[in-house]
Structures are given as structure tokens and as C-alpha cells.
Amino acid sequence: MNIRAILLGLAFALMWSSAFTSARVIVADAPPLASLALRFALSGVLGVGIALALGQTLRLTRGQWRATIIFGVCQNALYLGLNFVAMQTVEASLASIIASTMPLMVAFAGWVLFRDKLPWMGVAGLVLGVIGVALIMGARLEAGVDRTGLILCLLGAAALTVATLSVRGASSGGNVMMIVGLQMFVGAGCLAVASALTETIVVNWTWQLGVAFAYTTVVPGLAATWVWFTLVGMIGAVKAATFHFLNPFFGVAIAAALLGEKLGTLDVVGVVVIAVGILMVQLSKQKIAPS
């Protein structure tokens, strides 16, 4: 793994983790689904515009179109939609911790459903991940966390797992920025319909809302997605996913620094245990991945 890949991986983890804090600010002043639909529409316009300026085209392969649609529905509409709704009642730090367990879900699904090989290190990593989640969930449930919001976060993480499994098809064959823009439009369309059916549009216009919305649209929305697709195309999905072990740390640190969210001792221990579990799973998968 060269220095460029390492820097891209660190940048992705930081941008991805920061999205939970900015989302928490947005949903405090605006309806979650409508805000997200508008964000994706703007990101889509920017993404497609940049792609056209770079000479990219709409001539995608069948696999790229399929993966783009799946990614747009599962990550943008389901994963982020469910998390935005949940963060009306759930702290950003908890949402980021749950979402960061996605690599563990991918590894477990592959091991159980598809009989992928998983060395002892990977199995131990899965066990550690479960222990870490149990520590955090136990402490949060005892403190009275909103259970509906918690369930929405878990469902969102499951949708993110499906989205991640579709990345391989989207990252091969070029036109990466075009794919990024198009999958934004897929998410925008789905969420616009959901918002029209379920939400009343009431917005409290504040400068915090404006900054958070602009940041979320450009950085976690557009830049992080482009970096992820580029990283996967450069070093492969297995190695790229190793950087997810940083997400629990970055997620809780940013929420604590910007939102003042407090973490208990079990939260800190759980974050460390989950991160170690993710790293062990990803390192074990690298050992058996074909060269």
C-alpha cells in the first residue's frame, strides 16, 4: 500500500466519520428526509458537472449501472435516510459507532451465508466486535437511549453492508465521478418521495444549519464517495475497508469536540474493542485475498 493510498484512506475515514456530527446539526433545524434529498440533488449536479468537465460520459457498463442503483438506494436512501431520522433522538457518537461495525457485518455475512474462508484472527475479530457493541449498547440502554432510533441505526448499518458489497461493480471501468453523481440522484429521488409522503416541511433557518448543510453536501457527500471509489479501484475493496477501523475513533472524537457529547468509560472501552475487532477481521481477509 503506497503513501497515496494511505492518505486517501485516512481522508476517507475522517470525512465519513464527520458526517454524523454535521447530520446531527441539520436534523435539529430541518426535516431529515427533505434535507437529505436536497443534499443529494445538489451533490449529484456537482458530481455530474465535474465528471463532464473531466471528459467522462454516461456510457457505463451494465455492472456499473446495477451497482450505481444499488449503492444509491442502499447507502444514500436507506442507510443515510434511516440515520438522519434516527439522529433526531440518537447522539451522533452512537450512530457513528453502529455504522462503523459495517465491516464486521460484511465479514460475518460472507462467512455464514457464502462460506468465505475466515482465519482464526478474523473469527476472533468478529467476537471482539460483538463484545464491543454489547458493552456500548448495554450502557446506552441502561441510560435510556431511544430504542426506535437505535433500531433505525442498526437497519441503516445493514443497508450500508449491502451498498458496500456493490462497490466492486461500480469502481471498475472508469467514469468514477460520473458514477458518484448518478448514485446521488438515485438517493435524491427515493428520499424526495419518502419526504413527500411522511414529512411536513418546517425549517429553522440558522447559520449552523447552513454551514452543516454545505459541509455535508460537499465533503462527506461528494468528496468522501469519490475518495472511496478511487481507493477501492486503487488497492481493492478488502484493503480499502481496513481504514474503517478508524471510524469509531474519529466519529466519537468529532462528536465530542463539536457537539460536546459525553462518553462513559464503557463507551471508550467499547470503541477500542470494536476498532481492534475490525482491524483483525480486515487483516485476516488480506491474508487470504487473491493477489
Side-chain angles (χ1 to χ4, degrees):
M1 191 181 297
N2 58 39
I3 186 64
R4 182 166 179 259
I6 293 174
L7 291 176
L8 284 174
L10 291 173
F12 166 75
L14 186 60
M15 290 187 289
W16 188 90
S17 301
S18 69
F20 298 93
T21 294
S22 59
R24 179 76 167 165
V25 175
I26 291 171
V27 301
D29 291 317
L33 299 182
S35 301
L36 202 51
L38 179 58
R39 167 199 152 180
F40 284 138
L42 294 175
S43 294
V45 170
L46 289 173
V48 171
I50 293 171
L52 292 174
L54 293 174
Q56 297 181 14
T57 72
L58 288 168
R59 296 178 181 175
L60 307 182
T61 66
R62 181 179 299 179
Q64 286 179 322
W65 278 114
R66 180 175 61 251
T68 299
I69 293 171
I70 294 174
F71 200 80
V73 171
C74 291
Q75 172 173 288
N76 296 341
L78 292 176
Y79 159 64
L80 285 171
L82 290 169
N83 270 275
F84 262 57
V85 173
M87 276 190 284
Q88 294 177 110
T89 56
V90 171
E91 290 186 331
S93 56
L94 179 58
S96 68
I97 291 169
I98 295 173
S100 69
T101 63
M102 178 272 298
L104 300 176
M105 293 186 179
V106 171
F108 182 76
W111 184 39
V112 174
L113 300 178
F114 304 108
R115 301 187 181 279
D116 292 343
K117 293 181 179 179
L118 194 64
W120 68 266
M121 181 188 294
V123 176
L126 288 177
V127 173
L128 281 178
V130 172
I131 292 173
V133 171
L135 288 172
I136 294 171
M137 293 305 157
R140 294 300 180 102
L141 288 172
E142 187 175 339
V145 68
D146 179 65
R147 294 171 185 261
T148 300
L150 180 62
I151 292 173
L152 291 178
C153 288
L154 292 171
L155 292 174
L160 180 60
T161 300
V162 176
T164 300
L165 294 174
S166 74
V167 169
R168 279 185 179 270
S171 60
S172 61
N175 286 326
V176 173
M177 183 54 74
M178 182 63 73
I179 293 169
V180 170
L182 291 175
Q183 55 95 9
M184 295 292 178
F185 283 133
V186 173
C190 295
L191 290 166
V193 173
S195 174
L197 294 174
T198 62
E199 291 182 331
T200 300
I201 308 301
V202 178
V203 180
N204 178 31
W205 298 101
T206 64
W207 70 266
Q208 292 94 335
L209 173 62
V211 171
F213 185 84
Y215 174 83
T216 305
T217 299
V218 176
V219 181
L222 192 62
T225 306
W226 176 83
V227 168
W228 175 247
F229 282 153
T230 302
L231 186 64
V232 169
M234 183 184 301
I235 63 176
V238 172
K239 290 183 178 179
T242 304
F243 288 98
H244 277 289
F245 92 94
L246 295 170
N247 292 333
F249 293 111
F250 285 158
V252 299
I254 294 170
L258 298 182
L259 300 179
E261 294 186 3
K262 296 181 179 180
L263 298 174
T265 302
L266 288 179
D267 289 325
V268 175
V269 173
V271 164
V272 173
V273 172
I274 290 172
V276 172
I278 292 171
L279 184 60
M280 291 175 66
V281 167
Q282 294 307 132
L283 290 178
S284 71
K285 289 167 67 177
Q286 286 187 33
K287 290 182 179 180
I288 62 175
S291 58

